[in-house]
Amino acid sequence: MNFPSLFSPLKIGPFQLKHRLVMAPLTRMRAAKPSLAPRPLNVEYYAQRATPGGLIIAEASPVMVTGFGSPGVPGIYTEQQIAGWREVVDAVHANGGVILLQLWHVGRVSHSSFQPGGLLPVAPSAVAIPDLKTGTADGKAVPYETPRALETSEIPGVIDAYREAAKNALKAGFDGVEVHGANGYLIEQFLQSHTNLRIDQYGGSIENRTRFLMEVTKAVAEVWGADRVGVRLSPYGVANGSGEPDPMPLYTHAVQSLNPLGLAYLHFIEPRSSGAGRAEVNHQNVPSAMVLFRPIWKGVLITAGGFTGETAEAAIAAGHADAIAFGRIFISNPDLPRRLQRGYPLTPYNRATFYGGEEKGYTDYPAHDELEQA
């Protein structure tokens, strides 16, 4: 065993994991159309990556029809979607794995072509994403539109959509849920000062900007129990036009506010990884989210962002994190835990096949033994 810390047991909420190598939530845009329900291809993909006592965080799933910004991503607000996810969950459980669903609303990271009736996407404030293009529903590259600011009276309805999605995830048999508060999507748009210009109780002070995150997390925890709920944050992220000028005060308050809830875990994205399919981010001297916030967070800490077996082992051995989430190399190595544990070589990923399509670059990456036989 090359990595004793990475392959030591860990308790997360009620679950006793056998190793600390987590599959990160990864948007792959391969749900059935037009239902946006998971299909047999998705079942196969997750089953390939499930290990006894291993944690999978399933891809971000919009909690309501206005929460979409990409084609082919699975939702969690219809009976058909619940049924599709149930097949995925059953396959992961059959292989001994634990699986949580990431709950998503993209906010302004959308386009009117994805929205009911062709309306504008919603956001905390009418602030467009500058200098970036988005894709329309028919695949054209266009500038982001200026979103419509949510009315104060509409916000409880959005929080209710998260609550209903949490109930739907429960119906689908998931083991818990993760609240997506990272990567420039709706919750982070409420958190950050440049995207939240509100003057009601959801804007202005750090406490007010954190309110939406807290209300969503508490609503979801009412459904599941807090020990089956995780939250993902990206304090130093730059995805989808995000970025707080001084992240420490904001995210310190957010983490301190989440502490008393007794959540299953907090999940960070390290700033060296862009977190939204953009090219690699190799900042020099970027701060480490896990190192900065470890002293503040009282519970289990998962972190993600370009880790190798060696750097993951070092982070856990040093006590900076309790588990490491892997994304891109889990795509191309369905048996990633076994490969790292036994020192087998890793298959490189093909970025061109990350989003959309069928089996190619999705379920056709072989496990190590198959490679040897070939």
Side-chain angles (χ1 to χ4, degrees):
M1 190 189 299
N2 298 339
F3 303 120
S5 299
L6 195 52
F7 288 94
S8 59
L10 174 66
K11 196 163 186 292
I12 289 187
F15 305 108
Q16 188 62 53
L17 303 183
K18 293 186 176 172
H19 60 79
R20 297 168 183 241
L21 203 153
V22 177
M23 180 174 164
L26 297 162
T27 294
R28 304 300 309 275
M29 299 183 192
R30 283 170 169 86
K33 294 172 186 170
S35 66
L36 300 174
R39 56 192 175 115
L41 182 67
N42 310 131
V43 176
E44 182 186 357
Y45 166 78
Y46 281 105
Q48 286 175 344
R49 287 156 183 80
T51 55
L55 174 61
I56 290 175
I57 305 168
E59 65 204 272
S61 297
V63 299
M64 60 197 300
V65 73
T66 58
F68 283 85
S70 308
V73 297
I76 186 63
Y77 54 85
T78 71
E79 289 302 323
Q80 210 172 345
Q81 291 162 0
I82 294 167
W85 274 122
R86 190 176 294 117
E87 301 289 325
V88 170
V89 169
D90 287 350
V92 170
H93 286 164
N95 288 344
V98 175
I99 183 167
L100 276 63
L101 181 66
Q102 193 184 56
L103 304 180
W104 197 23
H105 192 304
V106 303
R108 69 176 186 161
V109 190
S110 184
H111 184 266
S112 52
S113 59
F114 290 104
Q115 297 295 320
L119 297 173
L120 287 170
V122 297
S125 302
V127 180
I129 299 176
D131 309 324
L132 289 176
K133 292 281 180 79
T134 187
T136 61
D138 58 2
K140 295 190 179 77
V142 296
Y144 277 100
E145 299 160 312
T146 300
R148 177 181 71 80
L150 284 161
E151 300 289 339
T152 306
S153 60
E154 293 176 283
I155 292 175
V158 180
I159 293 165
D160 274 340
Y162 278 94
R163 185 183 284 109
E164 286 307 307
K167 289 178 185 173
N168 291 342
L170 194 56
K171 281 187 207 164
F174 281 97
D175 297 303
V177 292
E178 178 176 285
V179 173
H180 195 347
N183 289 350
Y185 298 118
L186 183 65
I187 290 174
E188 192 168 82
Q189 291 159 32
F190 270 93
L191 285 171
Q192 295 191 344
S193 56
H194 71 295
T195 44
N196 184 343
L197 311 179
R198 302 180 71 89
I199 54 171
D200 62 3
Q201 67 266 38
Y202 292 96
S205 68
I206 284 175
E207 186 175 4
N208 281 359
R209 285 186 275 129
T210 309
R211 189 183 307 273
F212 184 71
L213 164 69
M214 296 304 298
E215 290 183 356
V216 165
T217 305
K218 286 174 181 174
V220 166
E222 283 168 19
V223 174
W224 275 97
D227 67 342
R228 288 172 182 256
V229 174
V231 170
R232 195 178 212 202
L233 300 173
S234 52
Y236 287 87
V238 294
N240 299 310
S242 69
E244 182 70 4
D246 181 8
M248 278 309 289
L250 169 62
Y251 286 93
T252 297
H253 178 81
V255 171
Q256 286 174 335
S257 301
L258 292 167
N259 257 328
L261 302 186
L263 298 175
Y265 62 83
L266 184 61
H267 184 181
F268 282 125
I269 301 171
E270 292 296 335
R272 62 174 171 272
S273 180
S274 76
R278 314 272 178 213
E280 311 282 343
V281 176
N282 287 316
H283 300 303
Q284 294 301 312
N285 306 316
V286 288
S288 165
M290 62 178 176
V291 173
L292 286 171
F293 291 96
R294 184 74 209 225
I296 301 169
W297 176 245
K298 304 295 184 234
V300 170
L301 184 66
I302 303 174
T303 195
F307 282 90
T308 63
E310 287 76 16
T311 57
E313 172 68 20
I316 293 170
H320 295 319
D322 298 297
I324 305 295
F326 291 86
R328 290 163 294 197
I329 61 170
F330 225 139
I331 289 173
S332 55
N333 297 275
D335 54 341
L336 181 64
R338 196 171 57 113
R339 290 202 196 206
L340 289 181
Q341 190 168 21
R342 299 188 181 176
Y344 295 154
L346 298 182
T347 303
Y349 53 81
N350 176 9
R351 189 180 287 280
T353 58
F354 279 179
Y355 302 116
E358 294 294 324
E359 294 87 356
K360 184 173 167 57
Y362 191 63
T363 54
D364 65 347
Y365 285 108
H368 183 71
D369 290 351
E370 295 166 38
L371 283 176
E372 286 196 317
Q373 284 155 11

